[in-house]
Amino acid sequence: MPTILIVEDDQTISKLISASLSISGYDSIACYNGKEAVRLAKDQAVDLILLDIMLPEMDGFAVMEAIRDIGVPVIFLTAMGDVSDRVKGLKSGAEDYIVKPFEPLELLARIEIVLRRYHRDRRVLDFKDIHVNLEERSVRKGEEIIELTPKEYDLLVLFLKHPNVALTRDKILDDVWECSAMLETRTVDNHVQRLRKKLGLEDCLKTVFKVGYRLEG
């Protein structure tokens, strides 16, 4: 289930967006200022960000600049409807730009399009000399084919889709095993150790103390 970060300082609008997302099967996280948005975008495994421009502490353009390298698609939601603002937003790297007020159905349609396009374009994931073909479920390190178990493969894909994000052990269990209550977090540790050894990721797949793991590169 995709998780969407809502960055909107108007709590009434934020709650309306969250309710619409929930009805459509999305999870959401809400925050109300730019600095918190940057922290959450880097610390949480989110699939898309809905970003207002006029925010306390950091405006949306500054937030966009700060999170550009995490690889998460962004849709600007703003009352700033001038053509120059739209152009600036899209040139900053946003996938879409929606002017308030908007209809919830339009927002949901735009989200679906962005997520579909984003995941379609990511058929191949690359990290240093590691190449993962999502359609073939194949993993190469340089020219060598690396054999991974199904769970090792799913774990690798999770890290590659969320670079530089600290993923908790519980989050990893939820996403990869889908049954965190039935497994111990040691399961994650064992699989991470095997990925490090098989793919030479000892210096890149970092342990985050008392949290989980982060792929740095």
Side-chain angles (χ1 to χ4, degrees):
M1 182 180 298
T3 299
I4 297 176
L5 175 60
I6 305 166
V7 188
E8 168 61 65
D9 62 331
D10 186 320
Q11 295 193 28
T12 299
I13 294 176
S14 179
K15 289 178 181 177
L16 287 172
I17 294 173
S18 179
S20 297
L21 294 176
S22 178
I23 291 171
S24 298
Y26 297 106
D27 290 331
S28 64
I29 303 169
C31 71
Y32 311 105
N33 69 73
K35 286 187 177 179
E36 180 72 358
V38 173
R39 185 188 70 79
L40 287 172
K42 292 185 175 182
D43 290 348
Q44 300 291 322
V46 298
D47 298 281
L48 184 141
I49 300 171
L50 300 177
L51 180 60
D52 192 10
I53 292 178
M54 302 300 292
L55 293 167
E57 300 191 32
M58 287 177 70
D59 69 26
F61 295 127
V63 172
M64 188 71 199
E65 181 66 26
I67 65 174
R68 188 191 306 276
D69 64 341
I70 68 173
V72 176
V74 173
I75 298 176
F76 275 122
L77 298 179
T78 176
M80 298 172 63
D82 290 346
V83 172
S84 60
D85 294 319
R86 290 173 182 259
V87 171
K88 183 178 180 180
L90 294 172
K91 282 189 173 181
S92 72
E95 295 288 333
D96 206 344
Y97 191 107
I98 303 176
V99 178
K100 302 174 187 176
F102 51 83
E103 291 293 331
L105 287 177
E106 178 190 3
L107 173 61
L108 292 170
R110 299 279 194 98
I111 288 172
E112 182 179 345
I113 290 169
V114 168
L115 287 175
R116 185 167 62 241
R117 180 174 66 228
Y118 182 70
H119 290 297
R120 183 183 65 237
D121 292 344
R122 302 189 79 197
R123 293 172 184 167
V124 177
L125 300 175
D126 294 322
F127 180 82
K128 297 185 181 295
D129 62 343
I130 298 169
H131 309 280
V132 178
N133 187 309
L134 298 178
E135 292 183 342
E136 298 176 355
R137 286 184 67 90
S138 64
V139 180
R140 290 179 178 270
K141 182 174 175 62
E143 297 301 317
E144 180 185 1
I145 296 176
I146 306 297
E147 298 294 338
L148 300 179
T149 68
K151 291 305 181 187
E152 289 169 354
Y153 172 85
D154 291 343
L155 180 60
L156 175 62
V157 169
L158 179 66
F159 283 123
L160 292 179
K161 286 185 175 180
H162 299 93
N164 301 308
V165 174
L167 300 176
T168 68
R169 290 178 175 85
D170 285 341
K171 171 66 175 174
I172 293 170
L173 284 170
D174 284 341
D175 283 16
V176 175
W177 281 268
E178 300 181 350
C179 55
S180 60
M182 299 173 61
L183 294 171
E184 296 182 357
T185 55
R186 187 63 186 168
T187 300
V188 174
D189 300 334
N190 291 336
H191 280 72
V192 167
Q193 290 297 336
R194 290 200 288 271
L195 277 185
R196 284 171 171 162
K197 184 175 181 180
K198 288 185 177 183
L199 294 168
L201 292 172
E202 291 86 353
D203 294 332
C204 302
L205 192 46
K206 304 286 190 179
T207 300
V208 182
F209 183 61
K210 291 186 177 181
V211 177
Y213 296 95
R214 179 177 60 244
L215 182 65
E216 298 180 357

